[in-house]
């Protein structure tokens, strides 16, 4: 049975590439099947949204970046207040103006950082919701937030109070307000393999683990590997964590003997200092990792789930130099599975980093474990299966 043509899906997602990018392949599948998709995002995402075949309801953001220094849970809570302020002052008004009358969506697809807007508007519009996780998922048995936040922290208490204050404007019942704050929905998409999920065996039929949402056709890139017998290390600190020049310098020092060829992606507008230039180090503002990873032996990164999944998809081990508490959780999980290592950013030196890279890339047992996880990632169904779940919910609507 085919899904009804013309279903309209609204996507609410934090304006960060690590959150947005995994949705684009799902969108392409939905558009190819005859559905409309409209993102609620900042204007700078318009070209990428259009390339996926979707529309855009745009808003401006005042959200701050993570910054180069140490990021702890309280700092994340502060940034959460920025997101909430964006939600009330910008996202909700833009969405209400952009989706009117017959143009309102038939389904809202959202992630937790956008739950306030998504769940409020779903109540107003009477449409179903589907939550997606571009990072580790949460259920009744496992909570990523509990891993990261101290429930007794004043910053956490303040954040919760502010969210409840906003929810109270649409829901006067305190019990119902708390229900609206649940970290997961009745239907959820986890954009990772279940084997990577802590307590994965406790996740029931409300969760669909699709393995990955990487494009079937990687973006074209003018990059070629240095040679068939050259070991390549890819180094990236993501889009929110790439202000950490000291980590790029650390990596350059770690590979200064030129036994490895190092490819660094630094972030838009950033360059590698002339004092770090070397014949075995190439630095790019941006380069598709999917072009490099098939030829790489290891990924050194901040620990974002998108970067991790890209590496594991191609059977490459990962060294995590974390920037946030979430990255620590991800790095710890990789170590538990024997497919990577985590090196605390404040304590690592070039010699230690290099030793860990050499050990991982040269260990047959590690490569066997990484290969098995890669098979599970590829077998998850990917974006096509995620689109199937969306269509199932579209069929079920009144």
């Amino acid at each position: 049975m085919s899904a009804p043509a013309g279903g309209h899906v609204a996507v609410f997602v934090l304006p960060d590439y690590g959150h947005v990018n995994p949705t684009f392949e799902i969108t392409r599948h939905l558009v190819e099947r005859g559905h409309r998709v409209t993102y609620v995002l900042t204007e700078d995402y318009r070209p990428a949204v259009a390339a996926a075949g979707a529309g855009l309801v745009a808003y401006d953001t005042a959200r701050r970046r993570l910054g180069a220094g140490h990021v702890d849970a309280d700092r994340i809570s502060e940034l959460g207040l920025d997101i909430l302020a964006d939600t009330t002052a910008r996202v909700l008004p833009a969405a209400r103006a952009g989706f009117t009358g017959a143009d309102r969506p038939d389904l809202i697809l959202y992630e937790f950082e956008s739950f306030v807007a998504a769940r409020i508007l779903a109540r107003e519009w009477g449409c179903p919701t589907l939550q997606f996780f571009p990072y580790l998922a949460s259920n009744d048995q496992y909570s990523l937030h509990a891993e990261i936040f101290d429930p007794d922290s004043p910053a956490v208490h303040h954040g919760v109070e502010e969210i409840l204050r906003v929810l109270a404007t649409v829901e006067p019942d305190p019990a119902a307000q708390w229900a609206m704050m649940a970290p997961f929905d009745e239907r959820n998409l986890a954009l990772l393999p279940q084997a990577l999920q802590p307590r994965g065996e406790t996740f029931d039929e409300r969760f669909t683990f699709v393995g990955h949402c990487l494009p079937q056709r990687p973006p074209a890139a003018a990059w070629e590997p240095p040679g068939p017998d050259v070991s390549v290390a890819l180094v990236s600190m993501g889009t929110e964590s790439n202000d950490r020049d000291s980590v790029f310098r650390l990596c350059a020092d770690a590979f200064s003997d030129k036994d490895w060829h190092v490819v660094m992606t630094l972030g838009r507008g950033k360059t590698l200092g002339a004092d770090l230039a070397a014949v075995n180090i190439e630095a790019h503002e941006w380069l598709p990792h999917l072009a490099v990873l098939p030829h790489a032996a290891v990924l050194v990164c901040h620990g974002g789930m998108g970067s991790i999944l890209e590496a594991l998809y191609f059977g490459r081990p990962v060294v995590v130099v974390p920037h946030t508490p979430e990255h620590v959780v991800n790095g710890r999980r990789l170590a538990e599975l024997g497919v990577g290592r985590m090196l605390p950013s404040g304590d690592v030196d070039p010699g230690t980093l290099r030793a860990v890279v050499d050990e991982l890339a040269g260990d047959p047992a590690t490569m066997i474990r990484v290969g098995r996880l890669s098979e599970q990632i590829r077998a998850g169904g990917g974006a096509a299966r995620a689109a199937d779940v969306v269509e199932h919910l579209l069929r079920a609507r009144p």
Side-chain angles (χ1 to χ4, degrees), residues 255-285:
F255 297 101
S256 61
D257 62 3
K258 302 179 177 57
D259 287 345
W260 285 74
H261 184 84
V262 181
V263 179
M264 294 185 177
T265 57
L266 306 176
R268 305 288 188 183
K270 298 182 68 64
T271 59
L272 193 64
D275 59 320
L276 298 181
V279 294
N280 69 317
I281 296 177
E282 56 175 287
H284 304 261
E285 289 187 34

Side-chain angles (χ1 to χ4, degrees), residues 1 5 12 23 84 87 93 118 141 152 221 223 226 245 253 271 317 345 365 374 386:
M1 177 181 176
F12 287 77
T23 70
L84 185 64
T87 296
Q141 304 297 316
D152 296 325
W223 184 85
D245 293 345
D253 291 341
T271 59
S345 55
S374 174

